[in-house]
Amino acid sequence: MIPVGLAQCLEATFLFLLLLGLTSGQRLVTVQQGPLYRVRGSHVTLWCKVSGYQGPAEQNFQWSIYLPSAPEREVQIVSTIDPSFPYAIYTQRVHGRGIYVERVQGDAVLLHITELQDRDAGEYECHTPNTDERYFGSYSAKTNLSVIADTLSASMAPQVLTCTEGNAVELTCEVSKSTIQHTHLSVGWYHLQGAGEHNAEEVLILSKDFILKPGPSYVQRFLEGDVRLNKVGNTTYKLFLGGVKPSDHGQLYCEAAEWIEDPDKTWKDISLKQTERTSLTVLSQGKDLSVDIAAAESSLSEGDTLQLNCMVEAQKSSSRHFQVIWLLNGMEVARVDPHGVWTWKEEYEERAKLGQLRALKPSNTIYALTISEVGLRDNGTYHCSVSEMETPGELHGIQTNLSSGIQVIVKPIESRVCLSVSTSTPQVTAGDSLILHCEVQGATSAMSVQWWHLPPQRPGPGVLVATMEQDGSLRLGSTYQDGRTRGSLRLEKASSGTFTLVIPSTLDEDDGGKYRCEVTEWSRGQSWTEQGETTVTVSSMGLSLHAMLRSRIATVRYGQSFELVCQVSANYSLEEVPTSVRWLFQPNPPTSPYHELVQVFPSGTMAWVAAQSHFKEKAQLMKADTSFRLHIHSAVAADEGTYQCEVEVWRRNVLPLGQPAATTRSNAVGIKVVMPESKLQVSTQNSSVEVASSADTAIECRIVFAQNNSQLAVTWYLLPPLADGTPVQIVRANYSSVLEYGPEFSSPAQKSRFLNQRVSNSEFWLQILSANLGDRGEYYCVVEEWLWLVDGWYKLGEGTSGRTTLELKLPERELQMEKTNDSLSAREGEEVTLPCLLQGAHLPDTRLSATWFQMKESGLSSPLLILHHDGTILSPQQGLAARLHLRRPTAGDFSLTLSRVESGDAGLYYCQVQEWQQQGEGNDWALQASARSGYTRLTTIPPESTVMSRICSSPSLLNFILCLPLVLILLLALAVFCWYYKYEKSKKGNIIGSQLMELEGNKEVKTAGL
């Protein structure tokens, strides 16, 4: 039996092995544990690695950030696989290597942010694209990065110390921080003897763990107590160097670092600061080495040459090895090693290349330094330091001695130039010239002059206008090189110290503002610049430009002349500037914007617009001083409207003119042309006319009064009984007696029945032949009076007559008919029958006639089909004749059949039946009785849509169906051809294979025979 404890142990082991097996192939992405705190401006790295993956050994990584302002929104930063991965806010930093990914190995990378910014704070996510056969495990990990201020401060006053060998030196370094997070400080002292930062040597370091660590060269002295560090208060650190040695010669500085502990228990330096340097010169105790320094001249002016000599005195100097260092204010200028090779400090290298600095070694005891063209920067105390080396290749000297200091004073060359800037044109108008003066006094050498323009309300360094070099050559600024813009600029030297700038033609207000004159005096490779300014104001030409249009009379009679005066004013002389005027016109009533009539150019030439040619024949243009006149003779109706003048001016002294400098438009002046009055009078008396069916009648239109020299036009109208108040035009006869029928009366049948006739000069008739039931209604005429004037026919006025009511005189006896109103519907393309039934028998020896009418939307009834009493049938509307059929199954049935119904057939229909009887043998037939049926409303229904109708109604579908069989046949033929080609190819291959086998068989037979 297994003990309980052992059983539990086995069970736990089994579960552990099971979990281990399940997770052996699981991808895991890990990232540097957060939260991390880094200071602004520092170089930051974040590591990320992946394990348990499948696929290639080199995995790809993508970094994103979730900003605190939008914690749910991913912002992509950089990717190792996709160059277009970064969002726009990071694209520039990624392309400029401000943010990049360093691959440590195939499955591990470092994200570098070279200069951390406040906006870089947030939650960073490292994601690895899947290369596994299936998704299993984690593919990303996140960490938080906070950006904090850099509060670390380290300072030490720079000094130049000279100390004798064996003495003590103490240096003080102030280090402080105010970081909220828990951080540690480390403070270290470093010694720099040679050139370059990489040569710095550790002296003594107080680590972040508060442990003192001396540098390798200072261990023994640290143990002896000659090198120690004392902390005074919270921020002061003092380095004590006792018993200084020649090897301590060089520069000393303090370096402080701030450290923070990350969540993974490692310490990271988040800020590093270095102090300024202290120069330490150690004088050797050697008795046989003396150094002296001398200068040819120690008080110089800028541009002079300084000559320094360093002299070494020592026993057996020719066999000894010396290194000489030239110092200015304790800072190294140059050094020469025992081999005689000179090395310049970086800030002096460029001057040495230009030949301004030279160093010589005439002998082993004399060293010379020459500085040509000295400047103020060369002021100070010069020393030369000589170190004796045991061998030429040694870095540390046996002994060192420093010369006494020699004070070199460089006096600046002062310029006594003074200048005054003025203008003789302080206020001008655009187009006027600017004259600017720059007067220089006290100059003793060559000068160059520059004029700058500082436009108003446009801050900046200004625009270069012109430059006069020392040799007198002139160079214009890029803006002023085109002479067509402001004319040919001139910069002249009026006298020995007066420079005058002339701008012939100012462009606009932007040419105003300040103009600065800069005078540079040159002497001995140096220059001094003085400057002065003056202000000018340039007014726009359009600011004071105004145009006023006026006319003595606003209303003119037909044929009378009128004149328009355009008066132009400005605060400058208009006679001296090019001026153009454009006359504009808008007809009345307005049908379009103003259009141009004519333009008078500055040269006096005129350009008429072709569309307004009728003005050209009778218009006269004049100019007097600053006024422009437009005189129009014989006004007609087309001249009525609104007039304006538009004035353009150009800058003076500029050719070609180019674009105008200013434009103004005058007020509008309306001209009304009064036409001759119409005295037309038309009789307005109402009347009525009753006429028998099929009889002729006439409607009268009488003119009461009209001018003798006028022509009349008459238009006849009908208002049907059931109309909605809109009259229907029957016929119009214009002033030339040309007839024009209305749409409802344009058929030949209607034209033949409605005739216009002028009976006399004062009377028109409308004759109606064979009146029927559809002709009922109110008739009236509209008469227009037309008069021929200078440029054509003009309508003077019109008058409307009274209304004449036309009624049909019906027989006293009325036939009995079905008068019930009915509604029918029919599908388009089908057939429909409209009922018309006579009830009861008609009298013996009588005959019947029937007329079918269709009522239009206007209320006008038009006859469709007429059956005369003699049996003849008439169809007034030719377009319907083929589709109308009158079937009479019985004597009283006059039903009308309409075949192939169309959508336009919808409407109201009714019929009229009349009874006729002959008055005697050979006499005419007389109407005895009549009746009208009720209204039948016909509604049309669109036809049903079928497959064939859909195909036929769609051209694209029809073309597809027609072309599809042809395409299928072509594809089938192509398939057969391909099959045949492959078949022939395989057949040919089989034949060749058989022949080869046969040849091989024959060969084998021959071989066997041998």
Side-chain angles (χ1 to χ4, degrees):
M1 185 174 180
I2 301 174
V4 176
L6 181 58
Q8 292 177 346
C9 183
L10 291 174
E11 183 179 356
T13 303
F14 175 78
L15 289 174
F16 174 77
L17 292 174
L18 179 61
L19 289 174
L20 185 63
L22 288 174
T23 59
S24 61
Q26 182 175 349
R27 175 184 286 256
L28 178 63
V29 176
T30 54
V31 73
Q32 189 168 345
Q33 186 178 353
L36 302 174
Y37 295 93
R38 299 293 185 264
V39 299
R40 182 189 310 117
S42 62
H43 187 132
V44 176
T45 60
L46 299 176
W47 61 261
C48 177
K49 58 185 178 181
V50 61
S51 60
Y53 57 87
Q54 300 176 6
E58 185 173 285
Q59 294 287 298
N60 284 303
F61 295 81
Q62 295 176 338
W63 286 90
S64 303
I65 187 174
Y66 296 84
L67 300 174
S69 57
E72 302 298 327
R73 180 188 174 194
E74 178 188 6
V75 181
Q76 298 174 178
I77 301 176
V78 65
S79 170
T80 61
I81 188 174
D82 184 6
S84 63
F85 182 78
Y87 279 9
I89 61 173
Y90 287 102
T91 301
Q92 186 174 358
R93 294 175 68 187
V94 171
H95 289 172
R97 297 284 292 176
I99 297 177
Y100 63 94
V101 176
E102 176 190 1
R103 187 178 292 279
V104 180
Q105 56 188 39
D107 53 5
V109 295
L110 280 176
L111 172 65
H112 287 261
I113 303 175
T114 59
E115 186 175 350
L116 191 64
Q117 303 176 10
D118 288 332
R119 60 176 178 170
D120 294 331
E123 185 178 36
Y124 284 77
E125 180 182 36
C126 174
H127 174 76
T128 59
N130 182 35
T131 59
D132 308 333
E133 295 180 355
R134 61 191 180 97
Y135 282 92
F136 186 49
S138 66
Y139 290 83
S140 65
K142 296 182 179 179
T143 187
N144 273 297
L145 174 64
S146 297
V147 180
I148 60 177
D150 187 1
T151 64
L152 179 63
S153 171
S155 62
M156 181 180 70
Q159 303 176 70
V160 178
L161 301 178
T162 302
C163 185
T164 305
E165 182 180 2
N167 291 346
V169 173
E170 186 177 65
L171 301 177
T172 302
C173 180
E174 295 288 338
V175 179
S176 64
K177 67 179 181 69
S178 58
T179 308
I180 298 175
Q181 287 73 22
H182 176 71
T183 58
H184 287 186
L185 286 177
S186 65
V187 179
W189 293 88
Y190 293 85
H191 175 231
L192 188 63
Q193 190 173 36
E197 300 293 335
H198 60 278
N199 292 328
E201 181 183 13
E202 296 176 357
V203 179
L204 186 61
I205 296 176
L206 175 63
S207 71
K208 65 180 184 303
D209 302 320
F210 310 109
I211 299 174
L212 284 172
K213 299 179 180 179
S217 300
Y218 294 86
V219 173
Q220 186 61 37
R221 297 169 67 183
F222 173 74
L223 295 175
E224 294 173 354
D226 286 341
V227 176
R228 59 180 181 268
L229 188 146
N230 300 321
K231 183 178 181 184
V232 182
N234 293 328
T235 62
T236 304
Y237 298 83
K238 293 187 175 183
L239 174 68
F240 177 82
L241 285 177
V244 295
K245 300 180 180 181
S247 60
D248 295 329
H249 177 82
Q251 294 179 338
L252 294 167
Y253 64 90
C254 172
E255 182 178 276
E258 186 175 8
W259 298 76
I260 192 169
E261 187 178 17
D262 286 343
D264 59 0
K265 303 303 179 183
T266 61
W267 286 86
K268 170 65 178 174
D269 55 329
I270 59 175
S271 181
L272 187 69
K273 295 293 174 63
Q274 286 186 3
T275 67
E276 295 188 71
R277 296 170 183 177
T278 291
S279 177
L280 176 62
T281 302
V282 179
L283 302 179
S284 175
Q285 292 287 355
K287 301 298 183 180
D288 64 337
L289 180 64
S290 65
V291 181
D292 195 13
I293 187 170
E297 181 68 44
S298 61
S299 180
L300 307 168
S301 296
E302 286 185 275
D304 291 344
T305 301
L306 173 63
Q307 178 74 45
L308 296 172
N309 291 318
C310 181
M311 290 141 312
V312 181
E313 292 184 8
Q315 298 177 3
K316 300 180 180 180
S317 60
S318 60
S319 61
R320 298 167 73 173
H321 308 288
F322 300 113
Q323 174 181 272
V324 177
I325 300 177
W326 285 99
L327 302 171
L328 171 59
N329 297 327
M331 304 298 293
E332 181 179 336
V333 176
R335 69 171 60 199
V336 58
D337 64 12
H339 295 291
V341 178
W342 286 91
T343 304
W344 297 95
K345 290 296 288 184
E346 183 178 355
E347 55 267 32
Y348 293 93
E349 285 182 354
E350 186 64 28
R351 296 177 66 184
K353 290 178 181 178
L354 296 174
Q356 297 177 359
L357 298 179
R358 297 193 307 276
L360 299 174
K361 182 183 177 182
S363 67
N364 201 34
T365 58
I366 299 176
Y367 300 85
L369 175 65
T370 303
I371 304 176
S372 58
E373 298 183 10
V374 295
L376 297 179
R377 56 189 170 178
D378 299 320
N379 260 320
T381 302
Y382 287 82
H383 293 85
C384 68
S385 173
V386 180
S387 299
E388 183 181 2
M389 305 295 177
E390 187 172 352
T391 61
E394 286 290 330
L395 295 177
H396 302 292
I398 302 172
Q399 57 177 332
T400 301
N401 204 349
L402 184 70
S403 73
S404 59
I406 186 169
Q407 183 72 29
V408 175
I409 299 173
V410 180
K411 300 176 182 178
I413 300 177
E414 297 181 356
S415 173
R416 297 182 180 179
V417 171
C418 63
L419 60 86
S420 62
V421 182
S422 61
T423 176
S424 55
T425 53
Q427 292 186 340
V428 297
T429 302
D432 293 343
S433 59
L434 279 183
I435 303 175
L436 306 167
H437 307 285
C438 184
E439 186 174 354
V440 184
Q441 295 178 347
T444 58
S445 56
M447 293 180 293
S448 64
V449 179
Q450 280 191 334
W451 280 96
W452 294 83
H453 176 215
L454 287 73
Q457 300 178 352
R458 211 189 294 175
V463 180
L464 178 63
V465 180
T467 300
M468 179 178 284
E469 303 293 351
Q470 302 172 57
D471 58 0
S473 60
L474 179 63
R475 177 169 49 88
L476 299 180
S478 59
T479 308
Y480 295 84
Q481 290 179 358
D482 188 358
R484 295 172 298 178
T485 304
R486 294 177 177 84
S488 299
L489 268 72
R490 302 193 305 275
L491 178 54
E492 303 169 343
K493 190 174 182 180
S495 62
S496 60
T498 303
F499 299 87
T500 301
L501 173 67
V502 179
I503 302 177
S505 180
T506 50
L507 189 61
D508 50 29
E509 301 98 316
D510 288 342
D511 279 355
K514 293 183 178 180
Y515 283 83
R516 183 174 68 229
C517 174
E518 291 184 358
V519 176
T520 303
E521 184 179 15
W522 303 84
S523 176
R524 304 179 69 175
Q526 298 189 52
S527 63
W528 301 267
T529 300
E530 294 291 333
Q531 62 183 28
E533 294 179 351
T534 187
T535 302
V536 297
T537 301
V538 179
S539 302
S540 169
M541 296 187 72
L543 196 61
S544 62
L545 181 65
H546 300 286
M548 184 179 68
L549 183 64
R550 66 179 188 271
S551 175
R552 294 180 186 175
I553 51 176
T555 303
V556 298
R557 296 189 306 275
Y558 175 85
Q560 185 182 357
S561 299
F562 64 93
E563 187 176 74
L564 297 167
V565 180
C566 181
Q567 186 68 44
V568 186
S569 62
N571 62 1
Y572 46 89
S573 177
L574 289 168
E575 289 83 356
E576 297 179 4
V577 299
T579 307
S580 165
V581 65
R582 181 184 287 108
W583 291 95
L584 308 173
F585 172 68
Q586 184 183 52
N588 185 29
T591 57
S592 62
Y594 281 90
H595 47 257
E596 182 179 339
L597 294 180
V598 61
Q599 182 175 7
V600 182
F601 293 98
S603 61
T605 59
M606 294 178 290
W608 286 90
V609 177
Q612 309 299 328
S613 58
H614 69 280
F615 280 97
K616 181 179 180 181
E617 303 298 331
K618 57 179 182 177
Q620 183 179 1
L621 296 167
M622 295 168 287
K623 179 185 178 183
D625 296 332
T626 60
S627 64
F628 298 84
R629 298 172 183 267
L630 173 64
H631 189 92
I632 298 179
H633 301 276
S634 303
V636 296
D639 300 335
E640 180 175 327
T642 305
Y643 291 81
Q644 277 188 323
C645 65
E646 186 177 83
V647 179
E648 297 175 338
V649 293
W650 283 262
R651 294 180 295 128
R652 70 187 81 191
N653 304 326
V654 175
L655 288 175
L657 294 179
Q659 293 295 323
T663 302
T664 187
R665 185 176 286 196
S666 73
N667 56 297
V669 172
I671 298 295
K672 181 175 178 59
V673 179
V674 179
M675 304 300 294
E677 295 182 0
S678 173
K679 299 181 180 180
L680 175 68
Q681 296 181 18
V682 182
S683 175
T684 58
Q685 184 176 357
N686 295 330
S687 61
S688 62
V689 175
E690 189 176 37
V691 61
S693 179
S694 300
D696 300 339
T697 187
I699 308 297
E700 183 184 65
C701 178
R702 188 165 57 87
I703 312 300
V704 177
F705 180 82
Q707 298 184 31
N708 293 331
N709 59 343
S710 64
Q711 296 291 331
L712 301 178
V714 63
T715 305
W716 290 95
Y717 292 93
L718 166 63
L719 186 63
L722 298 180
D724 57 358
T726 303
V728 180
Q729 178 182 332
I730 302 173
V731 63
R732 168 183 169 81
N734 66 9
Y735 53 78
S736 300
S737 299
V738 177
L739 297 181
E740 179 184 353
Y741 282 86
E744 304 289 347
F745 292 85
S746 58
S747 65
Q750 294 289 71
K751 288 182 179 181
S752 64
R753 291 200 313 113
F754 291 87
L755 305 175
N756 175 71
Q757 183 179 5
R758 186 168 186 174
V759 181
S760 65
N761 289 337
S762 60
E763 190 170 356
F764 291 89
W765 282 3
L766 175 66
Q767 290 189 340
I768 304 175
L769 306 182
S770 301
N772 56 45
L773 193 62
D775 298 335
R776 294 176 303 151
E778 296 180 354
Y779 292 79
Y780 66 93
C781 68
V782 176
V783 180
E784 302 169 358
E785 185 176 21
W786 292 77
L787 186 66
W788 174 262
L789 299 177
V790 176
D791 55 342
W793 286 96
Y794 286 88
K795 178 181 175 181
L796 299 181
E798 67 177 31
T800 304
S801 70
R803 300 193 177 188
T804 301
T805 304
L806 176 64
E807 293 289 345
L808 252 64
K809 184 178 181 181
L810 300 175
E812 296 180 358
R813 190 168 63 86
E814 184 176 1
L815 298 175
Q816 298 297 319
M817 289 191 69
E818 180 65 42
K819 294 189 176 184
T820 304
N821 294 334
D822 195 9
S823 295
L824 295 177
S825 60
R827 193 174 299 279
E828 294 179 21
E830 296 182 352
E831 183 180 275
V832 64
T833 300
L834 307 174
C836 179
L837 298 175
L838 185 64
Q839 296 177 345
H842 58 88
L843 297 177
D845 299 330
T846 61
R847 294 182 182 179
L848 298 175
S849 68
T851 304
W852 273 97
F853 295 91
Q854 181 186 21
M855 185 178 293
K856 307 286 180 131
E857 293 181 1
S858 61
L860 182 67
S861 296
S862 300
L864 299 177
L865 183 141
I866 303 174
L867 172 65
H868 293 284
H869 59 76
D870 59 359
T872 60
I873 296 178
L874 175 65
S875 297
Q877 299 190 25
Q878 299 297 327
L880 291 174
R883 297 195 292 119
L884 298 176
H885 303 283
L886 187 65
R887 297 187 176 90
R888 298 186 62 187
T890 61
D893 190 349
F894 296 93
S895 297
L896 179 66
T897 299
L898 180 61
S899 62
R900 300 188 302 281
V901 173
E902 299 176 359
S903 59
D905 296 335
L908 290 177
Y909 293 82
Y910 66 92
C911 70
Q912 181 187 31
V913 179
Q914 297 174 326
E915 184 182 57
W916 301 80
Q917 188 174 28
Q918 194 173 23
Q919 300 300 310
E921 187 174 350
N923 293 329
D924 293 335
W925 290 80
L927 180 63
Q928 301 297 321
S930 69
R932 181 183 63 80
S933 70
Y935 294 104
T936 300
R937 179 175 295 279
L938 176 62
T939 304
T940 60
I941 303 173
E944 291 184 353
S945 178
T946 62
V947 174
M948 289 302 297
S949 65
R950 291 180 181 174
I951 293 174
C952 295
S953 62
S954 174
S956 58
L957 182 60
L958 181 61
N959 292 334
F960 174 75
I961 293 175
L962 293 176
C963 296
L964 181 60
L966 180 60
V967 173
L968 293 176
I969 292 172
L970 290 175
L971 291 174
L972 182 61
L974 183 61
V976 171
F977 176 77
C978 291
W979 173 84
Y980 179 76
Y981 176 76
K982 289 183 178 180
Y983 172 76
E984 288 294 327
K985 189 174 181 181
S986 61
K987 183 178 178 181
K988 184 177 181 181
N990 292 336
I991 293 173
I992 294 172
S994 300
Q995 292 175 350
L996 289 174
M997 289 177 64
E998 184 176 348
L999 289 172
E1000 289 179 358
N1002 294 334
K1003 188 175 181 181
E1004 289 176 357
V1005 171
K1006 291 180 180 180
T1007 304
L1010 292 174

